[in-house]
Amino acid sequence: MMNDNSRIALVTGGARGIGRAIALALAQPGLTIYLNDVVLGEEAVRTQQEVEAKGAAARLVEFNVADAAAVNQGLDYILKESGRLDILVNNAGITRDNLIVRMKETEWDAVLGVNLKGAFNCIRAVSRPMVKQRGGRIINISSVVGVMGNAGQANYVASKAGLIGLTKTVARELASRNITVNAVAPGFIQTEMTEALPEVTRNLMLAQIPLGRFGTSEEVAQAVAFLASDAATYITGQVIHVNGGMLMV
């Protein structure tokens, strides 16, 4: 698959952060990457330019993954323009943190809608064309907290744990059509959010990581690129943990 000059990829939430790093890790001559976000602005354009600088083609496609009709419309557009889809990376995600006793129903619904239902919407939309072409790669971005839990994030944790179950089930359903489905579960990653945390909080987080540092978006992206490559053709239904040893399973 990774040697095919007509490969097509879709990265949801691909404008910035881990999504941007994934797009750049995948980018190479012969690949067309569709960068998705709910609203595409200057960050998306910059990522598009960076992807193209690496020799890949880049397109912007705007839709809300939580909206099934919008997802179907977006996928129809991609298929009409490119004729196929080889790689789907479900990266789009949001947080609405709160303790369970204070969590509003709207906070629960918003996070589950994007993080879990959004992945379901995209997987369902790409399954039929991938089955028809008898091949594909689906990679879901979960989280270390989806395995170990985290206080104040019941909605986020539930969504990321759900992604792991979804990954394993869909992997079983689609394996006979040469479609692999895997998840990558990042740990604490260096972001603008972690940089803004008080030093005491950062030190408490670092104390949980045997490697003694935060991970980078690029390190997560390399795991995704591996799962999308020919090197991973016999890997499906797995969760690749990128967490510096914070959780060992």
Side-chain angles (χ1 to χ4, degrees):
M1 178 177 300
M2 292 304 288
N3 295 322
D4 183 347
N5 288 331
S6 61
R7 291 166 300 119
I8 310 297
L10 168 63
V11 181
T12 68
R16 58 191 178 277
I18 292 176
R20 169 186 169 277
I22 290 169
L24 291 173
L26 292 174
Q28 57 183 279
L31 179 69
T32 298
I33 301 179
Y34 285 86
L35 302 168
N36 155 265
D37 217 323
V38 63
V39 177
L40 294 168
E42 293 181 1
E43 287 179 309
V45 174
R46 284 196 296 269
T47 301
Q48 180 183 29
Q49 293 169 343
E50 290 172 331
V51 167
E52 290 175 340
K54 296 190 69 175
R59 306 280 189 270
L60 302 181
V61 55
E62 185 177 280
F63 59 81
N64 181 358
V65 297
D67 183 337
V71 170
N72 291 336
Q73 186 176 12
L75 264 294
D76 285 345
Y77 168 76
I78 292 171
L79 292 171
K80 286 178 182 178
E81 184 172 85
S82 298
R84 60 187 293 120
L85 184 68
D86 301 290
I87 303 165
L88 166 65
V89 182
N90 283 309
N91 169 73
I94 63 171
T95 58
R96 297 288 186 272
D97 295 350
N98 217 335
L99 293 173
I100 192 69
V101 295
R102 299 174 184 167
M103 186 170 289
K104 299 175 183 177
E105 185 177 353
T106 53
E107 293 171 332
W108 175 272
D109 290 344
V111 171
L112 271 291
V114 173
N115 298 7
L116 184 55
K117 185 185 176 185
F120 160 75
N121 287 338
C122 292
I123 292 171
R124 184 175 61 174
V126 306
S127 291
R128 194 176 299 276
M130 283 188 175
V131 165
K132 185 176 180 180
Q133 68 198 32
R134 298 189 67 83
R137 301 279 186 270
I138 298 173
I139 302 153
N140 300 318
I141 306 302
S142 182
S143 170
V144 64
V145 300
V147 180
M148 63 183 290
N150 197 36
Q153 288 192 308
N155 47 6
Y156 185 78
V157 170
S159 71
K160 294 302 186 177
L163 267 179
I164 291 173
L166 179 64
T167 295
K168 293 180 178 182
T169 296
V170 178
R172 290 185 180 276
E173 292 185 4
L174 300 181
S176 65
R177 296 298 186 267
N178 194 36
I179 301 166
T180 65
V181 188
N182 293 288
V184 172
F188 290 155
I189 304 302
Q190 188 77 37
T191 63
E192 292 180 3
M193 182 184 71
T194 56
E195 288 176 358
L197 291 171
E199 184 177 355
V200 172
T201 303
R202 287 171 55 88
N203 289 339
L204 287 172
M205 295 169 70
L206 287 169
Q208 301 179 57
I209 306 172
L211 285 181
R213 65 174 178 86
F214 293 115
T216 67
S217 297
E218 289 73 23
E219 287 170 321
V220 176
Q222 287 302 318
V224 175
F226 166 70
L227 290 172
S229 75
D230 280 344
T233 54
Y234 200 56
I235 299 174
T236 195
Q238 303 304 309
V239 182
I240 307 299
H241 293 274
V242 184
N243 61 36
M246 179 180 171
L247 175 71
M248 301 184 187
V249 293

